[in-house]
Amino acid sequence: MRFHEIRAKVEAGERLSADDGLFLYSPAVHLNDLGELANFVRERTNGNLAYYNINTHLNPTNVCVYRCIFCAFRSDLREAKGYLMNDEQILARGQEAVDAACTEMHIVGGLHHQKPFEWYLNLIRSLHDAYPRLHLKAWTAVEIQWFTRLTGLSIREVLTELRDAGLGSLPGGGAEIFHPEIRDQICEHKADAGRWLEIHRTLHSLGLRSNATMLYGHLENAYHRIDHLLRLRELQDETGGFQTFIPLAFHPENTKLSHLKKPSSLLDLRTMAVSRLMLDNFAHIKAYWIMLGIGTAQTALAYGADDLDGTVRHELIYHDAGAKTPEILSVEEIRRLIVEAGREPVERDTLYRRVERSGAGWTAAEPILAGR
């Protein structure tokens, strides 16, 4: 009976409570019923469209001062796997992105203790100056917090300098799980939930947009996930600055949590659906195929997701943690996956504007759907 009450609330456009969210995670709710309800919201918000973009990743260093137990990417300075890209390599990566018709570069990496803020700032400036049409989605809130520690500047001052250098938006990484019961165990020295949210709040006040994530399938449970979603929903009510939410499935291989099993596809789809239902003020929910696997990501288009991310290339963080997905997908492969799922593929830029291509050139129209 409880699920029928939740369905009635959703169909009426009423907001779900924390208790509702916890119930949706319970075995009492059949996954197919949950998916059907999430699909209803997905189609009410985005119709039959499914988005993708042509993008590339840049991880300029894996040397990091933090030792998060869930991370397989980080390295100490003197470890054999540690690396630091130089200016020539970084600009070459930008040229490769432009040559591949990318509209976006996703830039995150380690917190290298020997590099000043100016190195990170100049990386953005040099790429933007050389390739002004390439949208730079760069530096997680954890990295922004590190920059404030390096410089003594405020969050607003750091973000303003990055914006003026060419920063286009912030990725959603570093959110992990907000609740301190879990966060203190998996990443105790990183920016806490309040700081992560404050950084995104400040970014939105400067007129820029950002994404949001949640890392699930490790030490947390349904209570912690729902708490995380509600905190994001509250900030979105306040600023409206989040573009999309990405549930990230934890990959335990090569981490200090390698004794755990990877989340099942059933948990992946349930989390996708619950996220779509709880985040009623988010226009988009992304099924990141790198982490979910291609089959699960494609299925997620019927469980609340309306975005598959993009072509990607040079992704290291999740492949270091055991992701078995390809390093890149072609546009043709992505469009085929979307069509097979019964959806209409639409290329978007970072700001969810329809991309129209003519030869080697491209233009971005106004946002296709703004969501509710």
Side-chain angles (χ1 to χ4, degrees), residues 326-362:
E327 190 264 335
I328 185 173
L329 286 180
S330 69
V331 171
E332 292 74 19
E333 289 171 311
I334 290 176
R335 292 181 67 90
R336 177 184 60 79
L337 291 170
I338 292 172
V339 170
E340 281 183 356
R343 302 299 190 186
E344 176 188 345
V346 176
E347 183 187 348
R348 61 162 178 87
D349 70 356
T350 308
L351 303 178
Y352 281 87
R353 298 175 297 189
R354 184 188 295 268
V355 171
E356 298 175 353
R357 295 189 178 269
S358 177
W362 60 271

Side-chain angles (χ1 to χ4, degrees), residues 18-27 177 179 182 214 216-230 267 270-271 274 278:
D19 286 343
D20 293 332
L22 288 173
F23 181 75
L24 293 176
Y25 259 116
S26 73
I177 284 289
H179 200 288
I182 303 302
M214 176 179 70
Y216 67 91
H218 43 90
L219 304 181
E220 93 296 345
N221 58 38
Y223 168 79
H224 303 114
R225 296 178 210 132
I226 296 300
D227 172 78
H228 189 101
L229 295 175
L230 292 181
L267 179 59
R270 186 172 293 271
T271 298
V274 171
M278 297 301 296

Side-chain angles (χ1 to χ4, degrees), residues 287-309:
Y288 186 32
W289 62 264
I290 286 281
M291 295 192 76
L292 293 175
I294 292 172
T296 301
Q298 184 185 40
T299 305
L301 293 175
Y303 282 77
D306 62 277
D307 191 317
L308 284 182
D309 198 86

Side-chain angles (χ1 to χ4, degrees), residues 84-106:
L84 175 68
M85 296 176 69
N86 60 35
D87 293 348
E88 182 180 352
Q89 291 171 316
I90 289 166
L91 286 174
R93 187 66 62 81
Q95 185 63 59
E96 179 188 350
V98 171
D99 292 343
C102 293
T103 61
E104 172 191 289
M105 178 174 278
H106 177 106

Side-chain angles (χ1 to χ4, degrees), residues 198-372:
E198 181 59 28
I199 287 167
H200 284 262
R201 178 184 291 110
T202 304
L203 180 85
H204 300 165
S205 75
L206 292 172
L208 299 185
R209 309 294 298 279
S210 64
N211 294 343
T213 64
M214 176 179 70
L215 185 69
Y216 67 91
H218 43 90
L219 304 181
E220 93 296 345
N221 58 38
Y223 168 79
H224 303 114
R225 296 178 210 132
I226 296 300
D227 172 78
H228 189 101
L229 295 175
L230 292 181
R231 296 193 202 202
L232 291 174
R233 190 173 74 180
E234 181 179 4
L235 181 56
Q236 183 73 331
D237 278 344
E238 179 185 336
T239 70
F242 288 119
Q243 298 194 113
T244 187
F245 173 73
I246 311 106
L248 299 175
F250 175 58
H251 283 251
E253 191 174 323
N254 301 321
T255 76
K256 293 180 180 178
L257 295 173
S258 59
H259 59 284
L260 299 178
K261 292 183 178 179
K262 181 182 177 298
S264 69
S265 295
L266 298 180
L267 179 59
D268 292 337
L269 294 174
R270 186 172 293 271
T271 298
M272 193 70 62
V274 171
S275 300
R276 177 63 285 174
L277 294 170
M278 297 301 296
L279 297 178
D280 54 28
N281 52 5
F282 275 65
H284 305 287
I285 305 292
K286 183 184 294 185
Y288 186 32
W289 62 264
I290 286 281
M291 295 192 76
L292 293 175
I294 292 172
T296 301
Q298 184 185 40
T299 305
L301 293 175
Y303 282 77
D306 62 277
D307 191 317
L308 284 182
D309 198 86
T311 50
V312 190
R313 61 177 61 217
H314 301 297
E315 196 288 320
L316 299 177
I317 295 174
Y318 301 114
H319 282 95
D320 281 357
K324 300 298 190 291
T325 44
E327 190 264 335
I328 185 173
L329 286 180
S330 69
V331 171
E332 292 74 19
E333 289 171 311
I334 290 176
R335 292 181 67 90
R336 177 184 60 79
L337 291 170
I338 292 172
V339 170
E340 281 183 356
R343 302 299 190 186
E344 176 188 345
V346 176
E347 183 187 348
R348 61 162 178 87
D349 70 356
T350 308
L351 303 178
Y352 281 87
R353 298 175 297 189
R354 184 188 295 268
V355 171
E356 298 175 353
R357 295 189 178 269
S358 177
W362 60 271
T363 58
E366 288 303 303
I368 305 122
L369 284 175
R372 297 195 305 154

Side-chain angles (χ1 to χ4, degrees), residues 90-95 98 126-135:
I90 289 166
L91 286 174
R93 187 66 62 81
Q95 185 63 59
V98 171
S126 62
L127 281 169
H128 180 67
D129 288 349
Y131 314 106
R133 296 205 70 200
L134 190 61
H135 182 104

